Amino acid sequence: MSEHDHEDVEVEDLDDEDLDEDDEFDEDFGALPPPAAPVFGLGDVPDGYRSGFACFVGRPNVGKSTLTNALVGQKIVITSDKPQTTRTVVRGIVHRPDGQLVLVDTPGLHRPRTLLGERLNDLVKTTWAEVDVVAVCFPADEKIGPGDKFLVTELAKVRRTTKIAVATKTDLVTADRIGEHLLDIAELGRETGTEWSEIVPVSSVSGDQISLLGDLLVALMPEGPPLYPDGDLTDAPEEILAAELIREAALDGVRDELPHSIAVVVEEMGLREGRPDDKPLLDIHANLYVERDSQKGIVIGKKGARLRQVGTAARQQIEALLGTPVYLDLHVKIAKDWQRDPRQLRKLGF
């Protein structure tokens, strides 16, 4: 097995000593960093050019991350059939001749059971007030429920932010069901005192009306210059993107109780020295953290087989995103009950 194909597997517990106050982890996974300074002078911007921020919100697993990727045109946010996959605020950047749209993907608003859940909900609500448009996602294959009403009622308190509704996953239902769903969304707006600037049905899988959604969002942005250089698709650091892709691979196929217990931190990442320019190799050393010894065994699998599968899948995704061959070194550690421990949450970047 070549170094390019190898994922190192090592298992060790994380004791309290490993979480010393002086330890530093690589990045703050939860913070919303400030936007870049405008990259063009006002004189260089076409008349009517618009730029700004839109935030996708909704209950867990309603298609927010898939929608972000569809609009950007490349995978920058991880997706999973497990609820509450998104834990970070990742900004995707859509470049158009008439404007620049910065999409903020947020965790799903939910009834929190842990300190982590409370912090993720706080992150969502803070983001609502910082963007130009909030787009609420309602999956067409599910009826409007109490969770949707709670979310929209909370959002209605944010008076100055423009709000639109997006009916997602329309490829899974009939045209009649889509029409019924749109009427339900409009009624929810009336019940909660929320004025929808737009209600649009889309499918991220088939691409149906994705371009229209982009047009509608750009039209709602304020006039102004681009906020990011042409070609940038996200402002997330590469370490964060790599950590998220590793976590996505680790989530695939695990039991329902395990996904929320997995956290990933990239400890080191950089091009290997001494390699020729035409044959670069990116070294990534990362730790997967779980809460209990039994979970460690699930992640590793028999004789390390599952962890090797995770490493292979993650490496391929990272290489596709960054365009560089990767050597991925994975270790599994235990951070006991980290979702409920403020100190450990801080160390893991939340």
Side-chain angles (χ1 to χ4, degrees):
M1 183 179 292
S2 69
E3 64 179 7
H4 178 68
D5 295 324
H6 175 62
E7 288 87 30
D8 189 23
V9 178
E10 182 173 321
V11 182
E12 61 181 287
D13 291 343
L14 180 64
D15 300 320
D16 287 340
E17 294 178 0
D18 295 314
L19 284 170
D20 186 80
E21 288 291 340
D22 294 330
D23 289 347
E24 291 186 359
F25 281 66
D26 292 288
E27 298 290 343
D28 183 349
F29 279 33
L32 180 63
V39 293
F40 297 106
L42 288 176
D44 301 326
V45 179
D47 288 341
Y49 192 94
R50 296 177 179 274
S51 62
F53 295 82
C55 172
F56 290 128
V57 302
R59 291 180 291 105
N61 208 26
V62 296
K64 301 181 295 293
S65 298
T66 308
L67 187 55
T68 297
N69 291 337
L71 280 162
V72 172
Q74 182 173 326
K75 180 176 180 176
I76 60 162
V77 183
I78 71 170
T79 59
S80 172
D81 59 359
K82 303 292 187 297
Q84 300 169 34
T85 296
T86 301
R87 290 179 180 161
T88 65
V89 170
V90 176
R91 294 199 291 221
I93 305 163
V94 181
H95 302 273
R96 298 165 44 114
D98 58 341
Q100 187 179 85
L101 186 61
V102 185
L103 304 174
V104 185
D105 183 48
T106 61
L109 195 71
H110 61 289
R111 189 180 300 279
R113 297 173 181 166
T114 64
L115 181 58
L116 171 64
E118 293 175 9
R119 291 188 177 181
L120 295 182
N121 277 357
D122 289 343
L123 181 61
V124 174
K125 293 178 181 179
T126 299
T127 304
W128 289 351
E130 295 179 346
V131 297
D132 301 291
V133 176
V134 174
V136 187
C137 297
F138 303 95
D141 62 335
E142 300 178 27
K143 290 189 176 295
I144 302 294
D148 298 303
K149 187 170 184 178
F150 169 75
L151 186 153
V152 176
T153 300
E154 290 295 303
L155 180 59
K157 299 174 184 177
V158 186
R159 296 292 182 186
R160 285 187 263 180
T161 303
T162 301
K163 305 166 186 73
I164 73 169
V166 182
T168 59
K169 305 185 182 184
T170 57
D171 56 296
L172 300 179
V173 297
T174 65
D176 287 346
R177 170 59 193 150
I178 293 173
E180 182 182 312
H181 191 54
L182 297 179
L183 290 174
D184 290 343
I185 292 171
E187 178 59 28
L188 178 62
R190 284 189 288 270
E191 289 179 5
T192 58
T194 301
E195 181 179 350
W196 302 121
S197 294
E198 303 282 354
I199 302 177
V200 55
V202 304
S203 169
S204 300
V205 173
S206 69
D208 187 41
Q209 301 219 113
I210 293 296
S211 294
L212 173 62
L213 177 59
D215 293 342
L216 295 174
L217 288 171
V218 168
L220 293 170
M221 296 296 128
E223 291 193 11
L227 300 170
Y228 293 91
D230 189 32
D232 284 8
L233 297 181
T234 180
D235 66 351
E238 290 183 349
E239 289 85 354
I240 298 296
L241 296 173
E244 287 289 270
L245 289 172
I246 294 167
R247 187 164 66 90
E248 179 184 51
L251 289 174
D252 186 28
V254 298
R255 299 175 188 171
D256 289 342
E257 73 273 11
L258 183 55
H260 311 300
S261 298
I262 297 176
V264 178
V265 175
V266 170
E267 298 289 349
E268 294 182 41
M269 180 171 171
L271 290 172
R272 183 171 298 183
E273 296 182 0
R275 301 276 297 193
D277 292 342
D278 59 343
K279 291 185 178 180
L281 184 64
L282 183 65
D283 286 319
I284 301 176
H285 301 272
N287 291 330
L288 285 83
Y289 292 93
V290 293
E291 294 185 296
R292 298 187 298 277
D293 188 71
S294 59
Q295 296 170 340
K296 181 176 68 176
I298 295 172
V299 172
I300 294 168
K302 188 176 181 180
K303 296 183 179 179
R306 190 171 185 287
L307 186 57
R308 282 191 290 273
Q309 292 174 353
V310 169
T312 298
R315 176 174 56 78
Q316 292 171 349
Q317 290 281 354
I318 296 169
E319 288 177 343
L321 179 64
L322 302 182
T324 304
V326 168
Y327 170 83
L328 181 58
D329 173 39
L330 297 181
H331 299 254
V332 177
K333 297 187 176 185
I334 296 175
K336 295 177 182 177
D337 295 323
W338 65 264
Q339 293 184 80
R340 295 170 172 81
D341 185 333
R343 184 163 164 256
Q344 296 203 59
L345 280 171
R346 186 173 65 254
K347 291 297 184 180
L348 292 173
F350 297 102

